[in-house]
């Protein structure tokens, strides 16, 4: 073996060889940095999901005379106005685009107005756990149907299995849930309203995604939709909000719902989405119904029976089946990656962080 000094060329080859120490050190550092980013991103998304899961429990502390319509209108009326103001001129540009973007925004804005009114009323009638779980569990099913109608996206066997699981769970919840301190006086009606809320959520998510694909940012898209929704919700709040806003406790509840789950959580989610993949973020948001169900039992005093818990598990299983990525052909993964990122970006209104 030669003992002569290495030539410049051989030194360059040694430095770029895959087994050389320097690249290994840089690779380890990069991997550690990426791991920390993923870890912090996951924690941010989980924190956001926990705040979203607290909405039903927070609403249960509103004055007894306050209607769920006023609670929903305060949450997304005031919160939607804040989202619109944060988006600023970019939201106005969406509304000035004309066809086809403006009709998409109007449809999405109408869905934004329906969603909180149906969602909070569903929790008041069926209970925090049942209302939240059904709303979140059925919304991806409705979104898949809407995508099928709008752009011809296929309904896969995975979607069918998810739908069967979620529908079975909703049926069990409608028949058996609601044995709690402040819930259960109209469980079937509450589950029906939760289905309406889930459908509304799917509508503004899908149309928000279409606006993003037309070249607008997620903040602009959601700012325009929530601004339009606020035009409907703020008058509802003016008509129904007396008992809610007329008491200090009601004001605290309304302020918490409008600021924390509607703004702070969205900022956390946006920061998390910048650090983890969209599919991972979507899966981590399954923490929301878990938190809602746990708070419903621990704080609100709901006591679902065994069949109600089975129904909750089936709804969550259906959501998990539809959300967790499976093995896809490489070409299909490349083709669908852009669309899945756009759709995940509007799962929460301020997902641009």
């Amino acid at each position: 073996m030669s003992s002569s000094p290495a030539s410049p060329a051989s030194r360059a080859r040694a430095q770029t060889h895959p087994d050389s120490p320097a690249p290994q050190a840089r690779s380890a550092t990069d991997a550690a940095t990426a791991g920390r980013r993923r870890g912090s991103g996951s924690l941010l998304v989980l924190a956001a999901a926990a705040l979203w899961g607290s909405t039903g429990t927070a609403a249960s502390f509103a004055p007894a005379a306050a209607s769920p319509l006023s609670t929903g209108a305060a949450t997304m009326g005031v919160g939607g106005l804040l989202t619109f103001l944060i988006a600023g001129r970019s939201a106005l540009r969406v509304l000035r685009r004309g066809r086809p973007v403006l009709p998409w925004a109007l449809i999405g804005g109408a869905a934004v107005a329906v969603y909180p009114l149906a969602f909070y009323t569903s929790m008041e009638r069926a209970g925090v756990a049942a209302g939240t779980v059904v709303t979140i569990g059925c919304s991806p099913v409705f979104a898949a149907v809407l995508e099928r109608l709008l752009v011809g996206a296929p309904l896969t066997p995975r979607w069918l299995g998810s739908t069967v699981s979620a529908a079975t769970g909703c049926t069990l919840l409608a028949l058996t849930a609601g044995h709690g301190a402040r819930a259960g006086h109209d469980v079937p009606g509450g589950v029906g309203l939760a289905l309406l809320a889930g459908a509304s959520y799917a509508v503004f998510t899908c149309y928000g995604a279409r606006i993003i694909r037309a070249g607008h940012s997620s903040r602009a898209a959601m700012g325009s939709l929530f601004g339009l929704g606020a035009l409907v919700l703020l008058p509802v709040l003016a008509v129904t909000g007396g008992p809610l806003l007329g008491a200090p406790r009601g004001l605290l509840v309304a302020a918490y719902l409008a600021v924390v789950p509607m703004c702070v959580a969205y900022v956390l989610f946006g920061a998390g989405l910048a650090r983890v993949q969209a599919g991972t973020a979507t899966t981590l948001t399954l923490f929301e119904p878990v938190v809602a169900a746990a708070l419903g039992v621990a704080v609100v005093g709901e006591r679902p029976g065994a069949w109600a818990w089975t129904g909750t598990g089936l709804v969550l299983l259906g959501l998990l089946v539809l959300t967790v990525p499976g093995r896809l052909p490489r070409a299909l993964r490349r083709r669908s990656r852009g669309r899945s990122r756009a759709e995940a970006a509007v799962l929460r209104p301020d997902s641009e962080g």
Side-chain angles (χ1 to χ4, degrees):
M1 180 180 293
S2 173
S3 59
S4 62
S7 67
S10 64
R11 286 198 300 269
R13 284 194 299 270
Q15 289 173 354
T16 58
H17 191 277
D19 294 330
S20 63
Q24 278 189 333
R26 285 196 298 269
S27 177
T29 301
D30 292 345
T33 302
R36 285 194 296 269
R37 280 180 59 83
R38 286 194 298 270
S40 63
S42 297
L43 290 176
L44 289 169
V45 173
L46 287 173
L51 293 179
W52 291 323
S54 73
T55 55
T57 298
S60 72
F61 287 99
S67 73
L69 296 178
S70 65
T71 305
T75 302
M76 292 188 74
V78 177
L81 180 61
L82 292 175
T83 303
F84 174 77
L85 293 176
I86 291 172
R89 294 181 179 179
S90 63
L92 292 176
R93 283 195 291 270
V94 173
L95 301 178
R96 293 171 181 159
R97 277 286 299 270
R99 288 181 173 274
V101 172
L102 180 58
W104 295 344
L106 292 173
I107 295 171
V112 166
V114 171
Y115 170 73
L117 304 181
F119 177 55
Y120 283 91
T121 306
S122 76
M123 290 190 293
E124 191 267 341
R125 294 191 176 190
V128 172
T132 304
V133 169
V134 171
T135 297
I136 296 172
C138 74
S139 58
V141 175
F142 286 122
V145 173
L146 191 58
E147 285 287 301
R148 171 67 176 177
L149 295 175
L150 293 176
V151 297
L155 298 178
T156 63
R158 176 188 288 197
W159 175 87
L160 179 60
S162 172
T163 301
V164 170
S165 180
T168 304
C170 289
T171 302
L172 286 175
L173 283 168
L175 294 175
T176 63
H179 303 292
R182 296 190 59 179
H185 66 278
D186 182 16
V187 176
V191 171
L193 286 168
L195 292 172
L196 175 61
S200 302
Y201 187 91
V203 168
F204 77 71
T205 296
C206 288
Y207 278 98
R210 301 192 84 182
I211 293 173
I212 290 174
R213 291 176 205 146
H216 297 275
S217 68
S218 63
R219 181 172 295 172
M222 291 297 102
S224 64
L225 298 190
F226 277 68
L228 290 171
L231 293 177
V232 177
L233 293 170
L234 290 177
V236 173
L237 179 61
V239 173
T240 65
L244 176 67
L245 303 180
R249 187 174 66 178
L251 280 173
L252 287 175
V253 169
Y256 173 84
L257 291 172
V259 174
V260 179
M262 268 296 299
C263 289
V264 174
Y266 297 150
V267 171
L268 292 175
F269 182 78
L273 192 62
R275 292 167 170 81
V276 299
Q277 293 182 350
T280 301
T282 303
T283 303
L284 290 172
T285 58
L286 292 173
F287 192 49
E288 177 182 352
V290 174
V291 170
L295 289 176
V297 171
V299 179
V300 182
E302 296 177 358
R303 293 294 180 267
W307 284 111
W309 281 117
T310 302
T312 299
L314 286 172
V315 174
L316 291 176
L317 176 63
L319 182 57
L320 193 66
V321 167
L322 197 60
T323 305
V324 174
R327 291 186 176 273
L328 294 173
R330 184 175 300 176
L332 181 59
R333 285 201 302 269
R334 285 198 300 265
R335 189 169 65 248
S336 63
R337 186 176 297 123
R339 193 180 75 173
S340 65
R341 285 184 178 275
E343 290 168 348
V346 297
L347 285 173
R348 297 298 169 192
D350 192 24
S351 58
E352 227 183 39

